[in-house]
Amino acid sequence: MALRLDGIFTQINPISWMTLFMVIPSTILIFGRLGLYRAIVRFMAEKAVASILVGAFLSAVIMFATNLFFTLGVPRSVPVIYFSLLVLTTGGTRMLMRTLHLAAKDVGRIPVVVYGAGETGRLLMRSLQESRNYRPSLFIDDNKRLQGTSISDIPVLPLETAKKTILDQGIKIALIAIGQNERKAQRQAASAMTSLGLEVRMAPKLSDLMSGRVKISALRKLRIEELLGRDVVEPDTNLMNRTIQGQSVMITGAGGSIGSELCHQIIRHSPRRIVLFELSEHALYKITEELRDTIKAHKYLVELVPVLGSVVQQEIIENVIAENAVEAIFHAAAYKHVPLVEENAIEGIRNNALGTYSTAQAAGRLGVHNFVLISTDKAVRPTNIMGATKRLAELAVLEAADTYPQTKFCSVRFGNVLGSSGSVVPKFEQQIKMGGPLTLTHPDITRYFMTVHEAAQLVIQASAMATRGDVFVLDMGDPIRIIDLARTMCSINGLMLHTDKTQEAPKGSISLEITGLRPGEKLYEELLVTGTELNTSHSRIKREQHTTNQIDEIGPVIDRLLQLRGNAALAEALAQLPLEYKMDQRYHARLNAS
C-alpha cells in the first residue's frame, strides 16, 4: 500500500489492514499444502519455484477477493504489487541462501565438463551440485539449438569452443551424459574427451537419475570396449532360439571367457538343461553360482548340471552326453595362450586337437543335433603351435561332419575378445595401475577385437545356420593397432603415452617399452583360409567357401603327434602336415639349441 500511495504507513486507511486477517492464514495454509515448508532450501529446484509462484498467485487472488467483498479500500493494483513482493521474499531469499550454500561447497570441489546437455545431463548436473566431489563448470553439446544457452548459469558450448575453456579452467575430468541407447554418440563424445587428455567417466542410466537412487559414486570409468565396441546389432530371436529353446545344451570350457558368456546368453533363451563341462574346479564353481543366481532372480525353469572333467577323456564325454540327452554342444574348451602352448606343445595338441576330435566324434556317434567349435583367427596360416592345433581342431570337425551327416557340425572363427583372460587389455590395465611401463612387442602390430557379449551372441546365431562342416567367420570390423589401443587406454586414465626412449617420462605420462615379437607371433592376423567368404542372412556372420579336408583320418594323425617327445619334434611334425603352419625360425633355432 505504501508503494502504491507513494507515502508512508500512517497514510494507509486503518480498515485496509483487515485484509491481512484473511490473507496471512490462507497463504500459510496454501504454501503448506503445496509443500513449500517441507522443501529443504539447498535442494530447491523447479518444483519449489512453481510452488512459490502458484502460492503467491492464489494469495494475491484472496487479497483481491477479500477487498472486493468487504470493501476495505485496497487499490486494485496492490494485489499485483503484493504478488511480486511475495515471490521475491519467499523465493528470492531461499534462492539466495541456496546460492551461498553452493558457493561455500565449491571450495575443494573438482571442476568437470559434462558432455550432453539433454535430460540426462541436466539431472546429472543437479546431482553434482549437491556432491562434495565435483563441480559442473561447463556443458558441451552438439545440438546447435542448445549451444550458447546456459543451464543453471552453466554455459552450453560446442566442442571446438569448449576446448579453450577446458584448458583455461584446468578441467581434467569429463562426464559423458548421453543416453544408453545412443552408443555411437557416446563413443564419439568419449573419444573427443580422451583426445584432449581428460579422464572420462560415464553417467548412470537416465532411469536411475530420475528415480533419485543414484549416487555420485555410480559415475564409473570409461571401459575400453565402449570406445572400441560397435553399435549393437539386435540378435535374431529366431536364430538365437533355434538350437537352444527347450534343448539340453552342453558347453565345454564353461568357466572360460567365451564359455561363461555363452552360458549367460544361452540361459536367457529357455533351454531345458545346461551342462557345464569344465576342467577347473574354481572356474566351474564360479559359473555355476553365477547361473544359479540368474535362475533365482529371473525364475528360469532350467536344470543346471555342473561336470568336472577333461575333453580328452572320451568315455566321460560320452557318458555326460548320454546321461543328459545332450542335443547341442558349444565346444569352447581350449588352451589359447600362444607363449604357453609354444612351450607345452604336447598338452596343446592333446587339449585343443585331441579334445576337439574326441568331443566331435562322441557328438556324432550319440546323435547330438548341433556341434559348434569356437575357433580363432590364429588357425589361419598359423605361425605358432596354438594356431596349428586349432586348425587341426577345425579339420577334426570337418571330418566328423563327413562321418556323421545327421549332426550339424560347424566352426566359428573370430579374433581377440576384449577383456578375456590373458588378452592385452587387462595386461595394459594392470601395467597402468602399477605406473608402467606398458610393454608392446612391436609398434606396428595389429589385432581384431570384439566384445565377448557380441561374440557369444553371434556364435549362437551362427550355430543355427550350420549345415555340414561350415566354417563361419565373424565380421570383426577393422583391425586395431595395439599402440593406438595403448594410447587410448592411457587417455581413459588421464595419462599420456610417452614413446621417446631418450627422455624420462614426464609427470602425467607413462612410458612404452618395445620388447620384440614373441616366438610364433604375427604382426597381423587373418580370418580366411580360402580367401573367399560368402554372405549369410546375418550381416556380421560370413561363411568361408567350403574346402575339402586334406588330412585323411585326423584321429591317427593326432595319435602319432602325441607319441612324439619334445617341442621341436612336434613343431617339425606339424610343419609337415597340410596346415600351412610355418614355424618361427627363432623358435626353431632355440629348440634345436636346447
Side-chain angles (χ1 to χ4, degrees):
M1 287 281 284
L3 290 172
R4 170 65 180 81
L5 299 174
D6 197 20
I8 57 176
F9 288 106
T10 56
Q11 294 176 329
I12 299 173
N13 186 340
I15 298 176
S16 300
W17 289 93
M18 294 181 64
T19 307
L20 298 181
F21 288 108
M22 284 293 294
V23 172
I24 291 175
S26 58
T27 303
I28 291 173
L29 179 63
I30 289 168
F31 278 144
R33 294 298 298 270
L34 289 173
L36 180 64
Y37 301 131
R38 294 192 300 272
I40 301 174
V41 173
R42 65 178 181 273
F43 295 139
M44 283 183 65
E46 282 86 348
K47 187 176 180 181
V49 174
S51 297
I52 292 170
L53 291 172
V54 171
F57 176 76
L58 292 176
S59 181
V61 169
I62 290 170
M63 174 180 282
F64 178 80
T66 301
N67 173 64
L68 192 65
F69 187 78
F70 293 105
T71 317
L72 299 177
V74 177
R76 293 183 179 182
S77 59
V78 167
V80 177
I81 300 171
Y82 167 73
F83 169 79
S84 303
L85 292 175
L86 187 57
V87 170
L88 180 63
T89 54
T90 55
T93 53
R94 282 171 168 81
M95 295 305 294
L96 175 63
M97 295 306 297
R98 181 175 182 271
T99 301
L100 292 173
H101 169 75
L102 293 177
K105 288 187 67 175
D106 277 347
V107 178
R109 293 202 300 168
I110 302 170
V112 297
V113 56
V114 179
Y115 202 119
E119 189 174 5
T120 302
R122 291 192 294 272
L123 287 170
L124 177 62
M125 180 268 297
R126 289 176 196 157
S127 299
L128 292 173
Q129 286 181 329
E130 299 305 326
S131 79
R132 297 179 180 179
N133 306 79
Y134 304 114
R135 171 172 55 83
S137 300
L138 176 69
F139 276 108
I140 298 177
D141 203 287
D142 300 326
N143 187 339
K144 293 184 178 180
R145 289 181 297 177
L146 294 175
Q147 292 169 3
T149 63
S150 63
I151 300 173
S152 295
D153 295 326
I154 301 173
V156 182
L157 302 177
L159 176 60
E160 289 304 315
T161 307
K163 288 179 180 179
K164 184 178 186 300
T165 306
I166 290 171
L167 184 63
D168 292 343
Q169 295 188 13
I171 297 174
K172 300 297 183 184
I173 296 178
L175 308 179
I176 307 301
I178 297 174
Q180 298 293 317
N181 295 327
E182 302 176 72
R183 294 292 179 87
K184 185 176 181 179
Q186 279 186 341
R187 286 199 303 274
Q188 290 174 342
S191 180
M193 294 295 94
T194 55
S195 67
L196 295 177
L198 301 185
E199 181 181 333
V200 177
R201 295 181 181 271
M202 305 299 289
K205 293 180 180 178
L206 178 62
S207 57
D208 290 337
L209 284 167
M210 293 180 70
S211 68
R213 296 191 304 267
V214 72
K215 296 181 180 179
I216 295 303
S217 58
L219 289 167
R220 59 173 177 80
K221 282 191 173 184
L222 178 72
R223 294 190 291 264
I224 186 64
E225 52 264 37
E226 290 172 311
L227 279 180
L228 301 183
R230 300 174 289 180
D231 288 339
V232 175
V233 173
E234 289 300 318
D236 185 323
T237 305
N238 181 48
L239 290 176
M240 292 292 287
N241 289 337
R242 193 178 299 173
T243 55
I244 295 173
Q245 195 171 46
Q247 306 288 303
S248 177
V249 183
M250 176 174 169
I251 300 99
T252 69
S257 303
I258 289 292
S260 59
E261 181 63 24
L262 281 170
C263 292
H264 286 295
Q265 294 283 341
I266 287 169
I267 203 170
R268 299 173 190 169
H269 294 273
S270 307
R272 174 167 50 89
R273 178 185 296 119
I274 297 182
V275 181
L276 310 170
F277 195 86
E278 173 60 55
L279 180 62
S280 164
E281 180 191 27
H282 174 71
L284 181 61
Y285 172 79
K286 186 172 181 291
I287 186 61
T288 303
E289 290 302 300
E290 287 176 4
L291 294 178
R292 281 177 178 159
D293 289 343
T294 302
I295 290 170
K296 183 178 179 181
H298 297 279
K299 296 181 173 58
Y300 290 138
L301 298 176
V302 58
E303 179 187 358
L304 277 188
V305 183
V307 180
L308 273 173
S310 170
V311 288
V312 301
Q313 298 170 306
Q314 191 163 341
E315 184 178 347
I316 293 178
I317 291 285
E318 290 181 349
N319 289 339
V320 171
I321 292 173
E323 288 173 5
N324 295 283
V326 173
E327 295 158 287
I329 295 177
F330 291 85
H331 182 58
Y335 292 145
K336 62 182 181 180
H337 299 303
V338 170
L340 287 179
V341 176
E342 209 74 2
E343 299 295 338
N344 298 273
I346 286 285
E347 286 307 310
I349 290 172
R350 192 191 311 279
N351 194 65
N352 294 358
L354 178 60
T356 302
Y357 176 81
S358 300
T359 309
Q361 290 291 317
R365 275 196 299 274
L366 296 173
V368 173
H369 299 162
N370 289 83
F371 180 95
V372 184
L373 166 68
I374 309 301
S375 190
T376 171
D377 53 2
K378 292 176 177 62
V380 179
R381 284 173 278 282
T383 58
N384 51 67
I385 291 175
M386 192 282 281
T389 62
K390 292 298 284 185
R391 181 58 183 155
L392 269 175
E394 289 183 357
L395 296 180
V397 171
L398 189 59
E399 181 180 287
D402 292 335
T403 308
Y404 305 102
Q406 77 277 9
T407 298
K408 294 179 179 177
F409 287 93
C410 72
S411 300
V412 182
R413 193 187 294 150
F414 53 93
N416 295 272
V417 172
L418 283 167
S420 65
S421 62
S423 76
V424 70
V425 171
K427 179 183 175 183
F428 279 169
E429 285 175 343
Q430 182 63 27
Q431 289 176 337
I432 289 171
K433 186 178 179 181
M434 299 296 291
L438 297 190
T439 55
L440 181 64
T441 58
H442 195 284
D444 296 325
I445 195 167
T446 64
R447 288 293 181 266
Y448 291 100
F449 285 99
M450 176 179 283
T451 66
V452 67
H453 181 82
E454 182 182 19
Q457 278 192 351
L458 293 177
V459 165
I460 294 169
Q461 292 174 90
S463 71
M465 302 179 188
T467 53
R468 187 176 174 182
D470 298 297
V471 175
F472 293 104
V473 179
L474 302 187
D475 178 4
M476 301 290 296
D478 297 324
I480 295 169
R481 293 180 73 219
I482 303 301
I483 194 169
D484 293 337
L485 174 68
R487 285 196 181 95
T488 302
M489 292 186 67
C490 288
S491 297
I492 287 174
N493 290 275
L495 299 168
M496 297 292 288
L497 186 66
H498 180 71
T499 58
D500 190 347
K501 293 181 181 180
T502 63
Q503 297 179 358
E504 185 178 347
K507 187 178 180 181
S509 65
I510 192 166
S511 60
L512 177 72
E513 181 181 327
I514 305 296
T515 60
L517 288 173
R518 296 172 298 182
E521 187 175 31
K522 289 182 178 181
L523 271 179
Y524 60 93
E525 299 290 0
E526 304 168 89
L527 288 166
L528 294 169
V529 171
T530 64
T532 306
E533 62 182 26
L534 307 172
N535 291 329
T536 68
S537 60
H538 197 291
S539 62
R540 291 189 179 172
I541 303 174
K542 308 297 181 183
R543 181 185 278 108
E544 185 175 55
Q545 188 172 10
H546 195 73
T547 57
T548 57
N549 197 338
Q550 295 179 310
I551 299 180
D552 295 327
E553 298 185 353
I554 296 288
V557 170
I558 295 173
D559 287 340
R560 287 197 298 273
L561 289 172
L562 293 175
Q563 299 304 313
L564 299 173
R565 289 293 176 266
N567 294 332
L570 268 170
E572 289 174 358
L574 285 170
Q576 301 305 312
L577 296 173
L579 306 173
E580 296 188 72
Y581 167 59
K582 294 182 180 178
M583 184 170 33
D584 188 293
Q585 292 305 311
R586 296 170 302 157
Y587 177 62
H588 185 264
R590 185 163 60 84
L591 288 177
N592 287 334
S594 61

